[in-house]
Amino acid sequence: MTADVADQVVLFSGHMIDAPGRPIERFPARLAPRVAQAIGDELDAIRVGRTDIGLCGAACGSDLLFAVAALERHMTLRIHLPFDERAFIELSVAIGGERWVELYRHVTQSAACIVADDVLGPLPPGADPFTRNNLLMLSEARRIGARAFTFVCVWDGQPGDGPGGTAHLAGAVRAAHGQVRIIDIRALANEPGA
């Protein structure tokens, strides 16, 4: 990866759209417009623009909403995938429906895509690809020479459904003494009309 310089680097993680049949709602599709607005508001609050770099995944839901908001604000966007694109789309994008696949295609046309296997080699036996991808993004964020490093996340404050989720990356950023800005999806869900 390149040794870049940016005014600020924004690392992002957030919940996926709830898969069909999820027993307890976390990010129902009806909240997507509110989450998109909240992400945009966070980016505006930290005054991102052309001299800034955004790093994120590309799962349906928060990741892709961040990617759109970053591109709308003319940030340089780098999307990190834990494994090959075809498998990633099937596992982490298409479950949200065709709209999310189209959005994935749209944002990846304007962003650099980094596949963890291409940077780090094959996944070691027993390792989790999502955890490894989180740590790769954090490593890149810290390596970029920037005035500020901020982690923005859409999170319910709870442990994830599996390894390598938003909770993991929030903990890793805190351990590295990074600034964490949480968009509380529970608060968005409790707003009138949600």
Side-chain angles (χ1 to χ4, degrees):
M1 270 176 267
T2 59
D4 301 288
V5 176
D7 188 38
Q8 58 184 323
V9 60
V10 180
L11 176 60
F12 180 86
S13 182
H15 294 313
M16 293 173 61
I17 287 288
D18 291 346
R22 181 182 172 88
I24 299 173
E25 282 189 345
R26 183 175 64 184
F27 185 174
R30 71 178 183 279
L31 290 182
R34 287 175 188 247
V35 170
Q37 180 66 48
I39 291 169
D41 290 348
E42 281 296 317
L43 293 181
D44 292 343
I46 59 175
R47 300 174 187 250
V48 300
R50 293 182 191 280
T51 60
D52 303 318
I53 297 174
L55 308 172
C56 64
C60 61
S62 301
D63 286 351
L64 288 174
L65 296 175
F66 170 82
V68 168
L71 291 172
E72 286 175 349
R73 287 154 180 83
H74 308 288
M75 296 177 75
T76 297
L77 181 64
R78 295 189 187 145
I79 291 175
H80 286 254
L81 303 180
F83 37 73
D84 74 273
E85 182 180 59
R86 172 180 265 160
F88 180 79
I89 290 172
E90 183 179 330
L91 183 66
S92 298
V93 183
I95 63 166
E98 187 58 33
R99 170 186 181 258
W100 294 102
V101 175
E102 290 173 11
L103 193 55
Y104 172 90
R105 300 271 184 229
H106 170 74
V107 299
T108 56
Q109 288 176 356
S110 301
C113 285
I114 299 155
V115 179
D117 291 351
D118 294 344
V119 176
L120 303 172
L123 186 69
D128 175 66
F130 297 100
T131 299
R132 182 172 84 150
N133 198 51
N134 277 352
L135 295 176
L136 179 61
M137 287 193 298
L138 178 56
S139 174
E140 181 181 359
R142 294 182 72 197
R143 197 170 33 245
I144 296 169
R147 170 187 60 79
F149 162 47
T150 304
F151 175 59
V152 176
C153 60
V154 173
W155 185 31
D156 63 3
Q158 301 299 308
D161 291 344
T166 303
H168 168 261
L169 190 50
V173 170
R174 284 183 175 130
H177 308 291
Q179 178 187 5
V180 177
R181 295 176 69 108
I182 299 170
I183 298 167
D184 186 345
I185 196 158
R186 295 168 302 182
L188 295 178
N190 289 328
E191 288 179 357

